[in-house]
């Protein structure tokens, strides 16, 4: 049986990559988020989902959907930096 969760993380972590701690039914696990990860990416964690009916000590898979949380309340300096980054990309 599968289980799906959503996890929000920062734009910076999505771009640079980071090890993230996730809560599962069996405790916490560490998952490496790859650099340049896009929102709605799904990660499959085998055997960390819901228990399988009538199968003792057997668990389905956990699917984590990654959601990027964009920064809010940017300062003028931060906005200028984003403008500079966008110029580099064009």
């Amino acid at each position: 049986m599968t289980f799906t969760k959503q996890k929000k993380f920062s734009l910076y972590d999505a771009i640079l990559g980071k090890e993230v701690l996730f809560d599962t039914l069996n405790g916490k696990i560490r998952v490496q988020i790859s650099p340049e990860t896009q929102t709605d990416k799904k990660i499959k964690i085998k055997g960390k989902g819901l228990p399988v009916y009538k199968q003792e000590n057997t668990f389905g898979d956990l699917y984590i959907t990654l959601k990027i949380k964009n920064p809010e309340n940017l300062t003028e300096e931060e906005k200028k930096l984003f403008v500079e980054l966008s110029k580099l990309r064009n």
Side-chain angles (χ1 to χ4, degrees):
M1 182 151 223
T2 63
F3 182 63
T4 303
K5 286 183 81 164
Q6 285 188 1
K7 177 72 174 179
K8 290 185 180 181
F9 60 106
S10 77
L11 171 67
Y12 314 106
D13 292 343
I15 292 170
L16 301 173
K18 183 178 182 177
E19 188 175 81
V20 181
L21 198 60
F22 288 99
D23 290 320
T24 71
L25 298 172
N26 300 321
K28 296 182 184 292
I29 59 169
R30 293 184 187 280
V31 175
Q32 182 66 40
I33 304 300
S34 302
E36 300 179 15
T37 293
Q38 300 294 315
T39 198
D40 289 330
K41 178 179 179 176
K42 290 184 178 29
I43 297 175
K44 177 181 174 181
I45 311 295
K46 206 161 176 54
K48 294 294 183 179
L50 295 172
V52 177
Y53 182 66
K54 291 189 178 182
Q55 293 184 24
E56 203 170 313
N57 297 321
T58 305
F59 294 86
D61 300 329
L62 169 64
Y63 288 88
I64 300 170
T65 303
L66 303 175
K67 298 287 186 182
I68 298 171
K69 183 178 183 289
N70 289 316
E72 298 177 311
N73 304 317
L74 295 174
T75 65
E76 288 304 314
E77 184 177 352
E78 289 171 318
K79 289 177 188 177
K80 286 179 187 177
L81 289 170
F82 274 106
V83 168
E84 290 300 314
L85 282 172
S86 75
K87 287 178 184 176
L88 288 172
R89 297 294 295 190
N90 293 326

